């Protein structure tokens, strides 16, 4: 299995609930290593650019407004099968459909405010990592 990197956001609702550490613990317990991390308060331009693929969706305005409503934690996670593993830890987009024990089942209130983001494929992971981090901010933790 290949060592992979994925991009993750702890969204404003989960930051406000003060569960950053609890969520990091889930990542680490599942064998994912944090290789870059920072707290940012997204500008409208940053949020719109990040979610550009959803520009035509009816929920786009609400999504951008939510994502800029408070600070988020952005991080790069590394491990075997990191993209799929993080999606599994997160649970379904709609917390009402998320399996018990997933982050969204435990920390999200609704599909609009669903606690975490995680890349859905290695290609989007590479794009999303580069959107927030320069190459020299990514640490080597393989040794
Ligand atoms: P994902 O975050 O599980 O990958 P996406 O389909 O990529 O889900 O959607 C991105 C984000 O847009 C979701 O996490 C959620 O916050 C929001 N979203 C998606 N679908 C809906 C919807 O039907 N209503 C409101 N918000 C939605």
């Amino acid at each position: 299995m290949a060592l992979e990197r994925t991009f993750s956001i702890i969204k404003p609702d989960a930051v406000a609930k003060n569960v950053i550490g609890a969520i990091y613990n889930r990542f680490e317990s599942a064998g994912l290593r944090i290789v870059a991390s920072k707290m940012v308060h997204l500008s409208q331009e940053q949020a719109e650019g990040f979610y550009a693929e959803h520009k035509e969706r009816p929920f786009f305005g609400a999504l951008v407004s939510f994502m800029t409503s408070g600070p988020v934690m952005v991080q790069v996670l590394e491990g075997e099968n990191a993209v799929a593993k993080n999606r599994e830890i997160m649970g379904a987009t709609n917390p009402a459909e998320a399996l018990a024990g997933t982050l969204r089942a435990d920390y999200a209130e609704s599909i609009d405010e669903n606690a975490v983001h995680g890349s859905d494929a290695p290609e989007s992971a590479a794009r999303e990592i580069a959107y927030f981090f320069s190459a020299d901010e990514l640490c080597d933790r393989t040794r």
Side-chain angles (χ1 to χ4, degrees), residues 11 51 54 57 59 63 87 93 104 111-112 114 117-118:
K11 295 185 179 183
Y51 281 117
H54 294 303
R57 310 281 288 276
F59 57 81
L63 177 60
R87 297 288 297 191
T93 307
R104 282 167 166 167
I111 192 167
D112 310 81
N114 61 2
H117 164 84

Side-chain angles (χ1 to χ4, degrees), residues 44-133:
Q44 178 153 340
E45 292 69 29
Q46 275 177 311
E48 285 175 352
F50 184 75
Y51 281 117
E53 66 178 296
H54 294 303
K55 207 166 55 190
E56 307 304 330
R57 310 281 288 276
F59 57 81
F60 183 70
L63 177 60
V64 169
S65 150
F66 165 58
M67 289 301 290
T68 57
S69 67
V72 299
M73 285 298 297
V74 293
Q75 48 278 325
V76 179
L77 309 175
E78 179 181 83
E80 298 291 335
N81 237 354
V83 171
K85 192 176 278 183
N86 182 42
R87 297 288 297 191
E88 201 179 305
I89 295 166
M90 288 164 56
T93 307
N94 184 351
E97 294 164 7
L99 294 180
T102 61
L103 292 172
R104 282 167 166 167
D106 290 345
Y107 299 121
E109 305 301 332
S110 68
I111 192 167
D112 310 81
E113 304 202 355
N114 61 2
V116 280
H117 164 84
S119 311
D120 60 5
E123 298 71 33
S124 48
R127 188 181 66 244
E128 292 172 359
I129 289 169
Y131 193 82
F132 283 102
F133 294 99

Side-chain angles (χ1 to χ4, degrees), residues 13-14 23 30 37 40-41 106-107 109 140:
D13 56 332
I23 292 175
S37 166
V40 285
H41 195 141
D106 290 345
Y107 299 121
E109 305 301 332
D140 180 2

